[in-house]
Amino acid sequence: HAAVPGIGGQPAQFLVIPRNENGEDFRKTGLRINPGLAASGGGKNANAWTLIMDVYWGQGHGFGTVFRTHDLTQNNDGDLFWRASDGSYGKGCCSDYAGIDPAHSHQREVWGRIVLVADMTSTPKRFAKYVDGFKHRDNPGGDGANIDGRFSLPSEILMFNDGDDNEQSTALLGA
């Protein structure tokens, strides 16, 4: 990956999570992570959390799966995606993609500092998405706005893994 630019002008070290085109093997690609967060909000999962990461989306699908939080043993869809067409983050059912400022979107083959802030214990519920310090949206809906819903973090999650139809692009995760 010699052609990958640095982060902020500095050489980057990163972990590559490749898009897998080998039949059903894409279901095995990604990172299995134990967030190590205590349950909150009266639920079983962490319902208030923040994730900060440097991500570079390479070639692949028109989407990139950020994470899956439920039914990890099943062949299910991801719970948060990056959308290549406009460089936004969302999920059709419960976190709008629309409304991102094109000047502050996350385009393919460019590093982006992504910050996700979830608080399902607050009123109103919050799931905020930031790209390089610019706020995109913070209004979850549907089952994303529930205690222990799709934007809560159980004891184990899958990152950069889509379990049903390989909506995945190669992802580089800054180290």
Side-chain angles (χ1 to χ4, degrees):
H1 295 276
V4 174
I7 300 173
Q10 299 298 313
Q13 293 185 342
F14 49 85
L15 176 66
V16 177
I17 301 99
R19 176 174 166 84
N20 190 327
E21 296 286 352
N22 188 19
E24 298 294 306
D25 284 351
F26 72 86
R27 291 186 171 98
K28 301 174 188 172
T29 302
L31 304 173
R32 187 173 294 272
I33 294 179
N34 176 339
L37 300 173
S40 58
K44 299 179 300 184
N45 299 339
N47 287 284
W49 54 269
T50 299
L51 173 67
I52 302 169
M53 59 185 173
D54 292 316
V55 180
Y56 177 102
W57 292 105
Q59 291 305 306
H61 193 274
F63 290 87
T65 308
V66 178
F67 58 65
R68 289 176 55 204
T69 62
H70 71 285
D71 300 325
L72 303 184
T73 60
Q74 304 298 316
N75 295 331
N76 291 332
D77 202 18
D79 291 298
L80 182 69
F81 293 91
W82 163 77
R83 185 168 68 181
S85 64
D86 64 358
S88 66
Y89 287 81
K91 172 74 175 172
C93 70
C94 40
S95 179
D96 291 339
Y97 290 98
I100 194 164
D101 178 351
H104 302 292
S105 63
H106 188 184
Q107 297 304 307
R108 190 183 296 275
E109 298 183 340
V110 175
W111 284 103
R113 166 73 44 101
I114 307 307
V115 178
L116 306 172
V117 180
D119 191 350
M120 299 306 128
T121 68
S122 67
T123 303
K125 310 291 188 209
R126 244 182 111 216
F127 183 62
K129 303 169 286 190
Y130 298 83
V131 176
D132 293 327
F134 293 92
K135 187 176 184 180
H136 173 204
R137 297 188 78 102
D138 69 356
N139 54 330
D143 66 351
N146 298 328
I147 294 290
D148 292 344
R150 77 174 63 239
F151 298 134
S152 69
L153 297 183
S155 61
E156 187 172 74
I157 64 171
L158 294 174
M159 292 191 67
F160 309 107
N161 169 276
D162 186 48
D164 66 348
D165 54 7
N166 205 9
E167 293 175 295
Q168 187 58 42
S169 295
T170 293
L172 281 61
L173 184 61

